[in-house]
Amino acid sequence: MTENAQQQPPAPSTDLPTQYAPAEVEGKLYERWVDRGYFAADAKSDKPAYTIVIPPPNVTGSLHLGHAFQHTLMDALTRRKRMQGYESLWLPGMDHAGIATQNKVEQQLADEGKSRHDLGREEFVERVWQWKEEYGGKILGQMRRLGDGVDWDRERFTMDEGLSKAVLTIFKKLYDDELIYRAERIINWCPRCLTAISDIEVEYQEDAGELVSIRYGEGEDSLVVATTRAETMLGDTAVAVHPDDERYRHLLGKQIKLPLTDRTIPVVADEHVDPEFGTGAVKVTPAHDPNDFAIGQRHDLPAMTIMDEHGIITVHGPFLGLDRYEARSAVVGALKEQGRIVAEKRPYMHSVGHCSRCKTTVEPRLSMQWWVKVGPLAKAAGDAVRDGRVKIHPEEMSKRYFDWVDNMHDWCISRQLWWGHRIPIWYGPDGEVVCVGPDEEPPTGEGWVQDSDVLDTWFSSGLWPFSTLGWPEQTPDLAKFYPTDVLLTGHDIIFFWVARMMMFGLYAMDGEAPFHTIALTGLVRDEFGKKMSKSNPNAVDPLVWMDRYGSDAVRFTLARGANPGADVPIGEDWVQGSRNFANKIWNATRFALMNGATVEGPLPDPSRMSSTDRWILSRLNKVVAEVDAYYDDYQFAKLSDSLFHFAWDEVFDWYVELSKTTFQAGGEAAEVSKRVLGEVLDVTLKLLHPVVPFVTETLWTTLTGGESVVIADWPEDSGFRDADAEREIESLQSVITEVRRFRADQGLQPGQRVPARLTLDGTPFAPHEAAIRQLLRLQPEGDAFTATATLPVAGAEVALDLSGTIDVAAERKRLAKDLAAAEKEKAQANAKLGNEAFLSKAPDHVVDKIRTRLAKADEDIARIQAQLERLPQG
């Protein structure tokens, strides 16, 4: 806590503007929180630690709804734990985002008519650092706008000095343990970015291509293969068939002529081939297809690379120098001339991988790269979840995790970029290979060069939970805040980031997993459940909604949709509704302050309270317990919904309204209710604060005079329950609700006063006659009272005099017309459902729709008949 945080709190105030204006409040409040050090965590504290590290957004990124969603939930968790007395650390930072950032700067250079090669590696990297300082990190300011309660003093970057040391340390350790090696394997290659890319950086979409069937060999010694990439046949080194396929048994072990070349290739038997698919024969191009590479390894086939890193053909005279797509067309043309094309299908829709950065079609390519041997690391990551050291929430997501870690392939970690952590391997003039650790000097002398590749971005972000706390040094932060408590992230990156953090954390931290819980969320979608995309008109900038409705409204909407592991639909109407909720909280608190609600002194003894007071306190304590249980189960939607309905329905719409007559009457009962209302608002605002921090801070400090709700104590369930009071108020609510419904049915305006006689003797709500009359706008009956409608409800009787308030004849005529329409609808539905010919032909959904119409017609008829019976006679 800073010195400023120790100043005396202001006295409670009733000075609230008539309307809540988020834009005038949020920015100032956030800077005050940061200036006072509320979000700073102290490693020397004797409080129990609670830690979350932020999934580091790309330095090139800006806040999108997915960020806003996950950040809202992480912020809620850490704010609550802080209020519960934990030393709560939410650690921020950014990822250097190798390809994305390099592309940004290369685009800048292209605008100047230059390339990175014009600058050279050293100058280009310096240019990227300049770009990062000038343009990078925009998202950090946007996180402040959202209200992220992160410890800005601990902000980290995946290429800062400390994290760079961590990267070099773990690379050296893995290398010395023979868990990092160099080998030639098939990788995803982007011919535009000129680098290997990870699986997560490949986006698959259905493309319209062509499927051509080609005859290899001659006469009886021939077979047909099909391919969507005809140009790769130039690199075929075999044809494979299933060993049990009788059609090709006579060809096994034979050599057949490869068209367009002067080569022959063998026919091999491999169980990977599906004899039921196509012709049951597949071409094998080990250098340009991952499955073919595996076949080639099993059969010791040569791997011929037929195109360079730009996708240009490098073999076979007629096609030499052609782009891969030009070569595809030329190869098919040449095969047609030889009569080798058996069939063609265009367009042929098939799934094609594209680089997520530049949208170029990815090319599988045989390449010399650096790899992590993941076998033992992945096993440890699986064991940590199986033995309960790490919990996955929701539990059903565990299967997806195990499917990945139990079947993980070795990880390609090298990238052909200039921006990133350069691989710490030096090659000597006589074939020497030396791995250099962070505290070691690289070899010098003529002929020594460092590997030109950099590490995959996921390599450094996989160290995030412990490298950000100072590892490899044994820092106080590491001792206090590792392992972290929960990783909250989208289920879409289980396979990439989550698994890598688990592997590296267990490996580097002596078997101690990087987090106790993995809480997985879904993805944000539009209100119709469609995926949001920049290329679609449904993409939303959350900052626009924050400008319109306030950050609290956006946060509350996202939290109300956050069911564990499930996707989150969101629409602007829902954000407007959350803005209305913030306004409701504001107006109710303002009313309470104007009527003397207070938090001063202890709560009065229940014996001095009215049943209304005891009811709301009983409900309040139940909600405290309910919200705590939901937080502990990461049920953000349920806890938000619980608070919404308690605050709006029970506190504002019922308790405040029922208390108005008490306040007007004055006396001891009013003083007791003022203190109870103050208590209820105090606790409710605290419960709401982690999700809607800005409006609750303003209202709570005004109500209580406290320094800040950020550092207030989290409410605890006192154990107070009053079942009798709850039953009494529930029956009172049923009376008021039923009479309100009748008034609405009769077309009475909400404020229209009606004479009434109330017979409440023997009911639990008999003492509430004044409140009932006030809430229902019921006048005393008077001398000329005539009971024209009588409602028996909840053991009471409410007699109303509607003469002079409605035109009975006109109302009867209107209801008769509605009744006739409902009866006609019922008759038509019955006729169709009684028609066997119709039922035998109509689809199920059509029949279901008619049954629904019939049920609705029955409900309407019953409702209208009840309204007619209640109308005055005459």
Side-chain angles (χ1 to χ4, degrees):
M1 191 77 64
T2 64
E3 187 175 340
N4 287 338
Q6 302 299 325
Q7 62 192 20
Q8 290 298 314
S13 166
T14 59
D15 185 21
L16 278 177
T18 55
Q19 290 185 323
Y20 177 49
E24 297 175 14
V25 170
E26 293 177 349
K28 295 174 185 176
L29 277 185
Y30 189 84
E31 292 311 314
R32 188 175 77 182
W33 292 334
V34 173
D35 290 345
R36 292 184 175 183
Y38 294 158
F39 305 141
D42 183 0
K44 298 178 182 177
S45 167
D46 57 5
K47 295 179 183 178
Y50 183 82
T51 316
I52 296 180
V53 292
I54 208 164
N58 286 353
V59 67
T60 59
S62 60
L63 190 75
H64 56 64
L65 272 174
H67 291 128
F69 170 53
Q70 292 182 358
H71 287 206
T72 292
L73 305 187
M74 286 184 277
D75 195 31
L77 290 172
T78 49
R79 284 179 183 268
R80 171 179 175 253
K81 285 295 185 180
R82 189 178 292 114
M83 295 172 75
Q84 286 183 314
Y86 286 77
E87 197 61 38
S88 193
L89 170 61
W90 186 19
L91 193 147
M94 294 183 298
D95 192 288
H96 65 277
I99 295 177
T101 309
Q102 178 156 322
N103 279 350
K104 288 279 187 184
V105 179
E106 288 199 81
Q107 288 165 14
Q108 249 186 11
L109 290 173
D111 292 341
E112 300 169 13
K114 299 177 182 177
S115 75
R116 59 179 161 131
H117 300 285
D118 294 323
L119 274 64
R121 183 169 192 146
E122 189 173 334
E123 189 177 340
F124 176 77
V125 170
E126 180 57 35
R127 179 74 175 258
V128 181
W129 277 108
Q130 291 172 9
W131 181 92
K132 185 254 181 189
E133 294 304 316
E134 187 172 355
Y135 301 105
K138 178 173 65 173
I139 193 172
L140 299 178
Q142 295 167 341
M143 286 163 53
R144 301 170 89 95
R145 178 74 191 284
L146 185 65
D148 284 7
V150 297
D151 187 345
W152 291 111
D153 292 338
R154 284 182 166 83
E155 180 191 332
R156 301 305 299 268
F157 180 56
T158 51
M159 281 185 62
D160 66 27
E161 184 178 350
L163 268 66
S164 295
K165 182 176 182 179
V167 167
L168 294 176
T169 301
I170 201 159
F171 187 100
K172 172 73 170 172
K173 180 174 169 60
L174 288 163
Y175 183 85
D176 290 346
D177 288 346
E178 298 184 347
L179 292 173
I180 283 182
Y181 64 95
R182 193 170 185 238
E184 196 173 38
R185 300 274 181 83
I186 291 283
I187 45 87
N188 301 307
W189 181 265
C190 176
R192 155 62 182 79
C193 298
L194 297 180
T195 181
I197 60 176
S198 67
D199 291 338
I200 197 174
E201 291 161 330
V202 179
E203 294 179 347
Y204 288 90
Q205 66 184 47
E206 289 293 309
D207 283 2
E210 62 179 358
L211 180 69
V212 294
S213 298
I214 310 167
R215 183 173 297 280
Y216 285 18
E218 306 294 342
E220 292 185 359
D221 290 347
S222 69
L223 39 68
V224 174
V225 299
T227 180
T228 58
R229 300 162 66 216
E231 71 282 3
T232 62
M233 67 154 295
L234 301 173
D236 286 358
T237 57
V239 172
V241 298
H242 193 276
D244 298 332
D245 195 332
E246 293 293 336
R247 293 171 294 177
Y248 304 114
R249 187 175 295 278
H250 68 289
L251 290 177
L252 291 180
K254 287 187 176 181
Q255 296 280 327
I256 60 173
K257 182 78 164 53
L258 179 65
L260 306 184
T261 72
D262 57 2
R263 294 190 293 118
T264 60
I265 57 176
V267 178
V268 299
D270 196 282
E271 292 189 352
H272 167 78
V273 179
D274 180 2
E276 303 299 323
F277 184 77
T279 64
V282 297
K283 59 191 286 301
V284 182
T285 320
H288 294 278
D289 182 275
N291 293 323
D292 293 2
F293 178 79
I295 293 175
Q297 293 279 294
R298 289 193 289 271
H299 297 277
D300 197 25
L301 299 174
M304 289 183 58
T305 298
I306 62 158
M307 64 181 80
D308 66 13
E309 65 268 23
H310 297 278
I312 304 299
I313 300 298
T314 57
V315 297
H316 203 72
F319 311 108
L320 185 65
L322 295 181
D323 170 84
R324 53 184 167 159
Y325 298 114
E326 296 172 332
R328 181 171 303 170
S329 177
V331 165
V332 171
L335 288 168
K336 282 182 179 178
E337 289 180 7
Q338 291 189 5
R340 293 283 178 177
I341 300 296
V342 175
E344 293 180 82
K345 185 175 181 180
R346 293 191 188 89
Y348 177 72
M349 302 304 297
H350 62 131
S351 181
V352 178
H354 297 260
C355 174
S356 63
R357 302 299 175 190
C358 68
K359 310 310 176 188
T360 302
T361 299
V362 169
E363 192 67 39
R365 185 168 188 263
L366 187 63
S367 180
M368 183 66 75
Q369 302 285 345
W370 285 95
W371 304 81
V372 171
K373 186 185 296 183
V374 300
L377 303 175
K379 182 181 183 304
D383 290 346
V385 174
R386 286 191 170 94
D387 64 25
R389 280 174 288 159
V390 177
K391 304 288 186 186
I392 292 181
H393 188 87
E395 189 176 354
E396 56 266 25
M397 287 285 180
S398 298
K399 183 180 184 302
R400 298 182 67 179
Y401 176 81
F402 291 131
D403 284 347
W404 180 252
V405 298
D406 293 347
N407 300 285
M408 194 182 293
H409 300 296
D410 284 1
W411 171 21
C412 176
I413 56 172
S414 46
R415 299 291 180 266
Q416 290 64 56
L417 303 171
W418 288 355
W419 171 245
H421 295 283
R422 195 162 175 183
I423 289 177
I425 295 288
W426 269 256
Y427 304 106
D430 298 318
E432 303 96 332
V433 179
V434 176
C435 180
V436 178
D439 300 318
E440 300 171 349
E441 291 295 325
T444 57
E446 187 176 349
W448 282 93
V449 294
Q450 185 177 359
D451 195 297
S452 60
D453 289 352
V454 300
L455 288 164
D456 177 13
T457 298
W458 296 101
F459 190 95
S460 50
S461 61
L463 314 179
W464 190 251
F466 52 95
S467 63
T468 52
L469 296 172
W471 187 90
E473 307 302 327
Q474 295 304 306
T475 64
D477 275 1
L478 195 63
K480 178 75 173 178
F481 298 114
Y482 187 91
T484 67
D485 285 86
V486 59
L487 169 72
L488 191 145
T489 191
H491 61 63
D492 55 323
I493 56 172
I494 292 177
F495 319 127
F496 309 106
W497 190 46
V498 177
R500 281 151 173 65
M501 285 190 291
M502 285 287 285
M503 291 192 302
F504 280 168
L506 290 160
Y507 174 74
M509 300 301 292
D510 299 322
E512 196 166 22
F515 16 74
H516 300 304
T517 301
I518 301 169
L520 297 169
T521 70
L523 308 179
V524 179
R525 297 183 178 272
D526 72 12
E527 59 193 303
F528 305 108
K530 293 181 180 178
K531 182 179 179 181
M532 287 191 177
S533 167
K534 291 180 181 178
S535 60
N536 292 334
N538 66 351
V540 173
D541 181 350
L543 296 166
V544 172
W545 280 355
M546 288 183 210
D547 288 340
R548 283 182 197 153
Y549 309 112
S551 297
D552 283 336
V554 174
R555 290 170 61 114
F556 194 68
T557 306
L558 291 165
R560 282 194 81 183
N563 291 298
D567 288 347
V568 184
I570 184 171
E572 187 165 2
D573 288 351
W574 305 343
V575 184
Q576 289 176 356
S578 295
R579 187 268 316 272
N580 295 344
F581 180 51
N583 289 342
K584 185 80 170 180
I585 302 169
W586 183 273
N587 293 333
T589 306
R590 189 169 179 271
F591 165 84
L593 290 167
M594 291 171 64
N595 284 275
T598 180
V599 296
E600 293 181 6
L603 275 173
D605 189 270
S607 63
R608 296 175 55 203
M609 296 179 187
S610 68
S611 57
T612 311
D613 294 331
R614 296 195 306 277
W615 161 71
I616 197 64
L617 288 175
S618 182
R619 288 291 305 126
L620 177 69
N621 279 285
K622 283 185 177 179
V623 168
V624 170
E626 192 172 81
V627 167
D628 275 333
Y630 285 145
Y631 261 115
D632 292 341
D633 199 34
Y634 304 98
Q635 297 278 1
F636 296 98
K638 290 182 178 179
L639 74 87
S640 300
D641 216 45
S642 175
L643 286 170
F644 174 86
H645 287 294
F646 174 71
W648 191 308
D649 300 344
E650 299 186 81
V651 179
F652 306 149
D653 279 358
W654 284 107
Y655 182 70
V656 168
E657 292 299 319
L658 289 169
S659 299
K660 284 181 179 178
T661 53
T662 307
F663 293 154
Q664 289 168 1
E668 182 184 1
E671 295 307 310
V672 170
S673 290
K674 289 175 185 178
R675 178 65 187 88
V676 171
L677 178 55
E679 180 76 9
V680 170
L681 287 174
D682 174 19
V683 172
T684 302
L685 291 170
K686 287 176 180 176
L687 292 173
L688 283 165
H689 172 72
V691 180
V692 284
F694 295 107
V695 67
T696 51
E697 171 80 339
T698 305
L699 295 176
W700 187 86
T701 53
T702 304
L703 171 71
T704 68
E707 181 186 336
S708 172
V709 71
V710 177
I711 55 172
D713 291 336
W714 182 253
E716 293 184 0
D717 175 9
S718 71
F720 177 78
R721 301 288 190 275
D722 193 322
D724 291 338
E726 289 195 41
R727 280 192 294 270
E728 177 179 325
I729 301 304
E730 284 170 8
S731 62
L732 173 63
Q733 290 171 329
S734 69
V735 171
I736 293 171
T737 300
E738 184 63 29
V739 177
R740 279 176 173 166
R741 185 180 296 117
F742 175 74
R743 286 176 57 107
D745 287 343
Q746 303 310 314
L748 295 176
Q749 296 300 314
Q752 189 172 354
R753 304 195 72 81
V754 177
R757 181 175 63 237
L758 306 183
T759 305
L760 308 179
D761 295 344
T763 65
F765 45 83
H768 299 279
E769 179 169 350
I772 292 172
R773 286 189 176 277
Q774 179 167 315
L775 290 174
L776 291 173
R777 306 294 189 267
L778 302 180
Q779 297 176 179
E781 53 194 279
D783 295 336
F785 178 81
T786 301
T788 59
T790 302
L791 304 176
V793 285
E797 186 177 272
V798 179
L800 302 175
D801 183 354
L802 301 180
S803 58
T805 60
I806 60 173
D807 185 334
V808 175
E811 187 64 11
R812 282 189 178 280
K813 186 175 181 180
R814 182 185 70 81
L815 290 172
K817 183 179 178 181
D818 290 347
L819 181 60
E823 288 173 336
K824 181 180 179 181
E825 175 75 1
K826 178 178 180 178
Q828 290 175 340
N830 273 327
K832 287 189 175 182
L833 293 173
N835 185 335
E836 290 298 331
F838 169 78
L839 291 176
S840 65
K841 296 177 182 178
D844 289 345
H845 72 275
V846 172
V847 176
D848 289 342
K849 187 174 181 180
I850 293 170
R851 289 194 176 112
T852 301
R853 283 169 51 193
L854 177 60
K856 175 68 166 54
D858 282 333
E859 289 176 8
D860 289 345
I861 290 168
R863 175 179 55 80
I864 296 166
Q865 287 174 338
Q867 288 176 245
L868 283 166
E869 289 172 6
R870 290 170 176 170
L871 278 175
Q873 299 300 313

